[in-house]
């Protein structure tokens, strides 16, 4: 099965990125054909600083590789190194009804929050469709907030195929309901937009400060507590197996457990879990030319795979004459 997804290089990574998408992608490379990319074109809708975007792109590559992505077991590249994706975006734009894009919640939500509306933000789902369809991606791991965009990609593929025959693979979403929404410090979805994240690769002091900010209720230390409504528990359980999670649940229900104590344990767990990945990340960023060579080889493999679909698209649409 061909699995495809990407991540934007816009800012630091957090636990929501890791457990919501990155860990799943890294696991997929063991048993499936994995295509994974850094979505720097998409990031331009929120990052206007060129130097910051370039720096963030290399850091995103180092992050993925440090966390276990193996370029020998997958295709890993930077979106802008594949010019064919912009060609397919234009082709698909001619099969995308305006009403389909106007109904997208993400665009409306961003504009409502003060993001300046522009064509890039509005047409974001068409570029996302091209990213997926150019490789014949069968399964696409996405969070609940991206589910509608994947439905747009499906609609565009079906409309194109109705016109030209069975050319594009219609992708299926892969949403883990347990991990689709990772809670942030305030209980909302963990997101940089809400400034409620627990970031990866922090020093101990900064990491502990973030974790101690997790919002809890005023239940006294001696009283039993409800783990199902506790933000600390919901984050902590991501690092636990079933037996460990059940043991922590019993400590909550028994009473006598202070939230500060659990936060300290969570801090130590997060710190120790990511420590080896942090060291590997530092090694990768210390040799940026090697990092660029990995991405260049990934782009070569990606262009080869994309060319197979694009030959069919060009022939069917008359762009080959």
């Amino acid at each position: 099965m061909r699995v495809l997804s990407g991540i934007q290089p816009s800012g630091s990574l957090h636990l929501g990125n890791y457990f919501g998408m990155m860990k799943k992608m890294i696991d997929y490379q063991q048993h499936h054909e994995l295509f994974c990319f850094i979505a720097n074109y998409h990031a331009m809708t929120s990052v206007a600083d060129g130097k910051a975007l370039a720096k963030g792109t290399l850091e995103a590559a180092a992050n993925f590789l440090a966390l276990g992505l193996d370029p020998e077991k997958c295709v890993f590249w930077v979106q802008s190194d594949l010019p064919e994706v912009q060609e397919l975006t234009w082709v698909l734009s001619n099969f995308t009804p305006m009403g389909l894009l106007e109904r997208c919640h993400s665009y409306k939500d961003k504009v409502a929050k003060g993001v300046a509306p522009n064509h890039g933000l509005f047409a974001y789902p068409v570029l996302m469709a091209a990213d997926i369809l150019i490789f014949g991606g069968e399964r696409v791991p996405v969070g609940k907030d991206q589910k509608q965009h994947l439905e747009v990609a499906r609609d565009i593929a079906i409309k194109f195929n109705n016109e030209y025959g069975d050319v594009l693979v219609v992708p299926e979403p892969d949403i883990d309901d347990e991990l689709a929404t990772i809670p942030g410090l305030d209980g909302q979805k963990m997101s940089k937009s809400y400034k409620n994240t627990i970031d990866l690769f922090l020093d101990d002091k900064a990491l502990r400060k973030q974790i101690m900010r997790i919002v809890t209720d005023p239940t006294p230390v001696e009283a039993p507590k409800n783990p199902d409504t506790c933000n600390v528990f919901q984050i902590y359980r991501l690092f636990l197996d079933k037996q460990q999670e059940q043991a922590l649940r019993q400590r909550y229900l028994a009473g006598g457990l202070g939230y500060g104590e659990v936060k300290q344990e969570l801090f130590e767990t997060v710190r120790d879990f990511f420590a080896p990945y942090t060291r590997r990340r530092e090694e990768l960023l210390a040799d940026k030319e090697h990092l660029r060579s990995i991405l260049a080889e990934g782009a070569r493999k990606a262009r080869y795979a994309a060319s197979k679909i694009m030959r069919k698209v060009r022939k069917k649409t008359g762009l080959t004459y």
Side-chain angles (χ1 to χ4, degrees), residues 218-233:
T219 305
V221 172
E222 64 276 8
K225 297 169 182 63
N226 184 354
D228 296 324
T229 59
C230 176
N231 297 326
V232 185
F233 182 88

Side-chain angles (χ1 to χ4, degrees), residues 4 37 42 79 89 123-133 140 142 146 149-150 153:
L4 181 138
F37 67 97
H42 285 296
Q79 187 182 31
T89 299
Y124 182 110
V126 186
L127 176 57
M128 179 173 165
D131 290 323
I132 298 165
L133 301 176
V140 183
V142 291
Q146 288 291 318
H149 285 169
L150 188 60

